[in-house]
Amino acid sequence: MEFKIVQKVGKKHQLYLIDKAADLSQIQELNDTERAFCTNAFKNDQTSITINQYNRFVFIYLLKNKKTDWQTAEALRRAAAEFAATINKQKLDEVTITNFASLEGAAYIAAESMALATYQFVKYRSDAQKHLNTLKSIFFSKQSITVAEVNRLTATISAIYKARTLVNEPLNYLSAAQLAKEIASLGKEAGFKVTTLQKAQIEKEKMGGILAVNRGSIQPPTFTIMEYKPARALNKKPIVLVGKGIVYDTGGLSLKPTPASMDRMKSDMSGAALVSGAMYAAAKMKLPLHLIALVPATDNRPGENAYVPGDIITMYSGATVEVLNTDAEGRLVLADALHWAKRYKPELVVDFATLTGAASVAVGEHGIVCMGTAEEAQKQAFRDSGFRQYERLVEYPLWEEYGEMIKSEFADLKNIGGPSGGAITAGKFLEYFTDYPWMHFDIAGVSFATAKKGYIPSGGTAYGMRMLLDFLVNYKKQ
């Protein structure tokens, strides 16, 4: 998707954002009859108007203030997604946005939503050309957006597209080894360093969590390390991002029930896609932050030598874990990565993972379950970013009683905590392997959509990346 500021608004398709009916007088493309039509529509509580002038379309959106700016912004996103649907249905290839509204960043918000709504994954369709969306370019009148905003928008949309595509790729293409190669390509394109540990190196490091999960697979695991370090970083100690990279999850010998339970399990590496995309965007935006990202990757299968319930494994940290459910594998690979992060003496560590069905049941597709030990100011910054981007957060507690639920008679820990509090006991398990400020984001309910809804496509969503990037863009050292 191309984004560009134009010095003069052309004669092609236009989108105008306005606050009140009186603003219609500034839209030169409208005649008196069309202005009267719009004014009457506004009186009838219609806020989105499409006018087909045959040689061009004129789209108009009247912003109505909601209780909060973030709700007003989300209403604009939803309207912009509808405009994008019309643009693509009508086979239009460009639109110019002019903002006369008072909402800060309104043109940015509208363009972002239109671009997000236009994403498609048609790589494997033989009839792809017949179904391709046509919107390729979004232009802005010069007063509607800044150059810095255009640069941020370009990097963000490109990163989200790449992350969504990674999630949508099937296992017969995207093995753990291929995921590492894809991340290396992102690093080469955006300008950050990528190092991948292969199975022999993982074995040498004694990363017992990753190796246990990988035992049932004929495909080797990988552990990928990304680093972006600008010359003048705001943070003396790095911020570390960790993403769960289970490229497919059968549940192992604790096999997931059927039907439909495995249909979306290619998306179990959504956390890996998200943090890789965030590194790409941060490097493209040249954020003044030292960032490191870690992706432990493998598939989880019930192969001949698969780990079994009752096994006791020794983690990278040296802690022992009694495995009671091989479908609770994500926390095992993440735990090794979280222990690895200690070597950087990080300022903050955040992990993203499709970790528990419990999180999905709790908040569904409307938000992210989070928890952690970060300072309250950092937690509030994440919450603020979540509201601004409408990728909202629900914080769960990490009370010590949840720690009691994962104690084992035979090892230091067990990998499940019982039938209740599943999202929290999973987070409590991860906390055991941290000794730094840390936040955990369980994206199980939002990482993959079974149907298109507004600017959220069917398939991989990259939900949470805009929140994370907003946090990083606005990051202030505590």
Side-chain angles (χ1 to χ4, degrees):
M1 185 70 68
E2 176 191 20
F3 303 99
K4 186 178 180 181
I5 299 173
V6 293
Q7 295 302 310
K8 185 177 180 180
V9 176
K11 296 182 179 180
K12 278 202 171 183
H13 317 292
Q14 310 290 332
L15 167 60
Y16 288 95
L17 309 176
I18 64 176
D19 280 329
K20 53 190 179 299
D23 293 334
L24 292 169
S25 63
Q26 300 184 71
I27 304 177
Q28 297 179 1
E29 290 84 356
L30 299 181
N31 59 37
D32 291 342
T33 300
E34 290 166 336
R35 287 193 183 91
F37 170 79
C38 294
T39 300
N40 187 62
F42 294 155
K43 289 179 180 177
N44 291 320
D45 292 327
Q46 187 175 342
T47 56
S48 297
I49 297 174
T50 298
I51 297 176
N52 184 351
Q53 296 179 332
Y54 300 107
N55 64 333
R56 70 181 163 204
F57 279 80
V58 178
F59 304 98
I60 301 166
Y61 180 68
L62 175 68
L63 277 81
K64 285 194 172 182
N65 290 330
K66 306 291 184 181
K67 290 182 179 179
T68 63
D69 283 347
W70 55 268
Q71 289 171 311
T72 303
E74 180 62 10
L76 171 57
R77 286 190 194 95
R78 293 177 182 178
E82 292 179 2
F83 288 139
T86 300
I87 288 169
N88 287 303
K89 184 177 181 180
Q90 296 296 326
K91 305 299 182 183
L92 314 181
D93 61 358
E94 68 174 60
V95 66
T96 300
I97 300 176
T98 298
N99 180 36
F100 293 132
S102 58
L103 178 68
E104 184 178 357
Y108 180 106
I109 292 166
E112 182 181 62
S113 175
M114 295 172 84
L116 292 174
T118 299
Y119 169 85
Q120 290 175 293
F121 183 72
V122 293
K123 175 180 175 180
Y124 297 99
R125 292 190 61 167
S126 57
D127 62 347
Q129 290 299 321
K130 295 180 181 179
H131 300 280
L132 285 176
N133 287 328
T134 56
L135 179 60
K136 304 296 182 188
S137 301
I138 299 177
F139 302 126
F140 304 91
S141 59
K142 60 184 179 180
Q143 79 274 16
S144 298
I145 201 168
T146 66
V147 172
E149 287 176 319
V150 169
N151 291 338
R152 176 180 174 182
L153 182 58
T154 301
T156 300
I157 292 300
S158 182
I160 289 174
Y161 276 24
K162 290 175 185 297
R164 285 176 172 178
T165 295
L166 285 175
V167 175
N168 288 328
E169 287 284 7
L171 176 64
N172 58 347
Y173 174 80
L174 197 74
S175 62
Q178 185 61 36
L179 175 59
K181 290 178 182 178
E182 299 286 339
I183 294 171
S185 295
L186 293 179
K188 185 176 181 180
E189 182 180 341
F192 59 87
K193 181 182 177 182
V194 179
T195 304
T196 299
L197 305 187
Q198 304 298 335
K199 185 174 183 178
Q201 296 162 292
I202 294 171
E203 288 174 332
K204 184 177 180 180
E205 292 286 346
K206 298 181 180 179
M207 294 183 173
I210 298 172
L211 292 168
V213 177
N214 181 251
R215 274 174 46 188
S217 176
I218 62 171
Q219 300 278 358
T222 57
F223 186 81
T224 301
I225 304 153
M226 297 163 259
E227 184 169 18
Y228 167 68
K229 190 175 183 180
R232 297 181 179 179
L234 293 175
N235 50 329
K236 292 182 180 180
K237 298 178 180 180
I239 299 169
V240 179
L241 315 177
V242 180
K244 176 185 171 184
I246 300 296
V247 291
Y248 196 86
D249 181 22
T250 66
L253 284 177
S254 302
L255 195 68
K256 293 179 184 293
T258 54
S261 60
M262 284 188 229
D263 292 357
R264 55 185 284 184
M265 283 300 103
K266 66 180 183 179
S267 70
D268 213 18
M269 40 61 68
S270 294
L274 192 155
V275 301
S276 302
M279 289 292 287
Y280 175 93
K284 280 289 190 178
M285 286 189 277
K286 294 180 167 46
L287 292 185
L289 296 173
H290 181 193
L291 301 174
I292 293 171
L294 308 174
V295 171
T298 179
D299 53 320
N300 181 30
R301 299 206 201 202
E304 292 180 2
N305 196 37
Y307 73 137
V308 303
D311 275 357
I312 295 177
I313 62 176
T314 302
M315 305 293 287
Y316 180 45
S317 69
T320 55
V321 174
E322 180 187 10
V323 176
L324 294 181
N325 188 326
T326 63
D327 195 22
E329 85 298 329
R331 65 201 70 183
L332 299 178
V333 302
L334 285 172
D336 280 353
L338 291 172
H339 182 71
W340 178 282
K342 293 177 182 178
R343 67 181 58 201
Y344 305 117
K345 302 188 186 308
E347 186 164 286
L348 174 68
V349 175
V350 297
D351 75 73
F352 287 83
T354 49
L355 204 61
T356 67
S360 178
V361 169
V363 297
E365 61 184 21
H366 304 297
I368 300 173
V369 166
C370 71
M371 60 202 82
T373 58
E375 295 178 1
E376 182 55 35
Q378 290 175 324
K379 289 183 177 182
Q380 186 59 51
F382 273 119
R383 284 191 288 266
D384 292 342
S385 292
F387 280 121
R388 278 193 295 268
Q389 302 304 321
Y390 213 74
E391 294 181 335
R392 296 165 294 178
L393 305 177
V394 179
E395 185 179 3
Y396 279 10
L398 286 169
W399 298 329
E400 61 184 19
E401 287 84 355
Y402 296 110
E404 295 295 321
M405 294 170 66
I406 55 172
K407 285 186 176 179
S408 166
E409 286 188 58
F410 309 110
D412 299 323
L413 299 169
K414 54 186 179 182
N415 76 328
I416 56 172
S420 61
I424 303 176
T425 52
K428 198 69 179 174
F429 182 93
L430 297 179
E431 182 193 26
Y432 186 90
F433 298 89
T434 69
D435 64 358
Y436 38 67
W438 159 75
M439 287 296 294
H440 162 57
F441 298 93
D442 193 331
I443 56 173
V446 294
S447 64
F448 194 91
T450 56
K452 179 176 173 58
K453 185 178 180 181
Y455 57 90
I456 302 295
S458 175
T461 66
Y463 191 111
M465 192 193 298
R466 290 187 300 115
M467 180 274 296
L468 174 59
L469 290 175
D470 187 286
F471 173 83
L472 295 175
V473 166
N474 293 287
Y475 186 79
K476 297 291 188 297
K477 190 172 181 295
Q478 302 301 323

